[in-house]
Amino acid sequence: MPGTGAPADHELRIEKRKFAGAVMGHKQRSRVGLLAAMAVVLVACGGGNASGATPLPGHGKPAIVLGDAGSNEELVLGELYAQAFRALGYVVDLTTSTSTSQQMDSAFQSGQLNAYPEYLGDLAETVAGYATPLTSEAQAEQIAQEYEQKYDATVMVPVTTFANANALITLRSFAQPRGLTTIAQLKSVPFSLKFGDYAAGRTRYAGYAGLQQAYRLTNLEFVPLPTGESIYNALDGHVVQVGKAFSTDPQLGGLTYAVLSDPKNIFGFQHVALIIKTKLLKVLGVAFQERYTSLNSLLTVTVMRALNRAVTIDRQPPASVAHSFLLANHMLTS
């Protein structure tokens, strides 16, 4: 049946880069403002340096060859992990590419990489080949873990606090007067709603097809967006009333747009975990796992929107953005 299969999420991430390119003209946020936003999640994680001649935990451990895909968010994630681990003395070789999930998996299996961060929904659907829509984050993790174990690899847990999945959004000025907080409530709107997405989204379950099948939204009219057009521009110009975005888009950190909750989970589950060779993980030690756990606990949706804004809109280098965040959260000392 058309639209019942899970989407190829690497294509969705390409769309995200298109969304991001449409907002470059916004007023830049200052470095001080970014640090202030980051400071709300300060925790006592401890510095990465040891005193005196005591070696750091990563001293003498094997090198981590860390893969990093090319979207702005993935660039930031790669820098966060690399810098956080280096602060403990681990040697991290960060390799950046514009690879898809399948290509990253191939590079990992061939030994070009021995670790990389990945969205688990992408891994389950496009790499492990699970074609039925996922029903829970736990299921996504299980499928990903079972796949990686076949190739002597591990999905590190805990996963990130944030998930970068698709989301249905509208102008807050449209949602609030109508009391709209969930996708299901759109059914009660007494007129036809224009739904904006790229043409490929018409038949995707994580898109127009799923909204009709799962939510029975017969009052949606599909409006294909021109290639490269931002859903935010379409909403601002009242070309559409609702549209599909990504949950960590920086534009969603303000008061202009409302994200409608997805109780039927048609947009899937996209928490991030580090995929790593099992033998390597065993020798990296407890400090490596503890640093990973501490960092992942900080990466909320609010934080990722702020980090994405710094790179996408304020045009700060991903390495600098990651450094500022880690410094503010005591994972770096300088």
Side-chain angles (χ1 to χ4, degrees):
M1 181 183 299
T4 58
D9 275 3
H10 66 277
E11 296 177 7
L12 299 184
R13 309 224 173 264
I14 292 173
E15 290 176 9
K16 182 174 183 181
R17 291 196 286 274
K18 293 175 182 176
F19 287 145
V23 298
M24 291 299 184
H26 286 208
K27 183 178 180 181
Q28 294 188 350
R29 178 180 289 180
S30 69
R31 185 180 181 84
V32 173
L34 174 64
L35 285 172
M38 294 172 178
V40 300
V41 293
L42 286 177
V43 295
C45 296
N49 293 331
S51 60
T54 303
L56 292 169
H59 178 73
K61 298 297 174 64
I64 303 164
V65 184
L66 184 66
D68 186 11
S71 74
N72 286 331
E73 180 168 288
E74 289 164 312
L75 291 174
V76 171
L77 286 171
E79 287 288 350
L80 285 169
Y81 287 120
Q83 293 183 38
F85 296 144
R86 286 172 185 154
L88 294 182
Y90 293 97
V91 176
V92 182
D93 178 11
L94 182 60
T95 302
T96 299
S97 69
T98 56
S99 300
T100 64
S101 292
Q102 294 95 327
Q103 291 168 334
M104 293 293 285
D105 177 66
S106 296
F108 180 70
Q109 290 192 34
S110 68
Q112 299 175 52
L113 311 170
N114 56 26
Y116 72 102
E118 180 60 288
Y119 301 90
L120 295 187
D122 282 5
L123 198 160
E125 294 164 357
T126 67
V127 178
Y130 191 82
T132 304
L134 299 168
T135 58
S136 69
E137 180 60 39
Q139 183 190 28
E141 290 183 32
Q142 180 181 357
I143 293 169
Q145 194 72 267
E146 290 174 352
Y147 174 84
E148 293 300 339
Q149 287 174 352
K150 295 177 184 177
Y151 302 99
D152 301 317
T154 297
V155 176
M156 289 189 69
V157 292
V159 300
T160 56
T161 303
F162 85 94
N164 181 1
N166 285 136
L168 198 69
I169 67 169
T170 185
L171 289 172
R172 195 175 294 268
S173 59
F174 181 85
Q176 283 187 338
R178 296 170 175 83
L180 300 175
T181 59
T182 74
I183 295 174
Q185 291 170 334
L186 292 174
K187 192 173 183 179
S188 65
V189 176
F191 52 84
S192 178
L193 294 168
K194 293 183 177 181
F195 168 74
D197 195 5
Y198 296 117
R202 183 190 292 270
T203 57
R204 284 178 175 157
Y205 185 76
Y208 184 64
L211 291 169
Q212 291 186 309
Q213 294 170 26
Y215 286 101
R216 302 288 189 254
L217 296 181
T218 58
N219 58 339
L220 286 188
E221 174 189 349
F222 186 84
V223 177
L225 299 178
T227 301
E229 175 68 5
S230 164
I231 186 59
Y232 298 99
N233 288 344
L235 287 168
D236 294 345
H238 303 288
V239 175
V240 299
Q241 286 87 38
V242 292
K244 192 175 69 176
F246 282 89
S247 57
T248 59
D249 281 348
Q251 298 92 328
L252 299 178
L255 300 177
T256 302
Y257 308 100
V259 178
L260 302 181
S261 66
D262 175 23
K264 295 184 182 295
N265 298 314
I266 68 169
F267 290 127
F269 307 90
Q270 295 290 358
H271 291 272
V272 174
L274 196 66
I275 312 302
I276 191 168
K277 296 294 185 181
T278 302
K279 289 183 179 179
L280 174 63
L281 178 61
K282 288 180 179 178
V283 300
L284 291 178
V286 174
F288 182 83
Q289 176 67 58
E290 290 177 345
R291 176 53 56 97
Y292 174 79
T293 299
S294 296
L295 178 55
N296 275 11
S297 70
L298 296 177
L299 301 181
T300 65
V301 169
T302 299
V303 164
M304 291 310 302
R305 287 171 181 170
L307 298 178
N308 287 338
R309 173 175 286 275
V311 176
T312 302
I313 298 177
D314 298 347
R315 301 197 182 192
Q316 296 181 34
S320 298
V321 172
H323 183 273
S324 296
F325 178 79
L326 294 171
L327 189 63
N329 286 282
H330 307 304
M331 290 190 176
L332 299 178
T333 57
S334 63

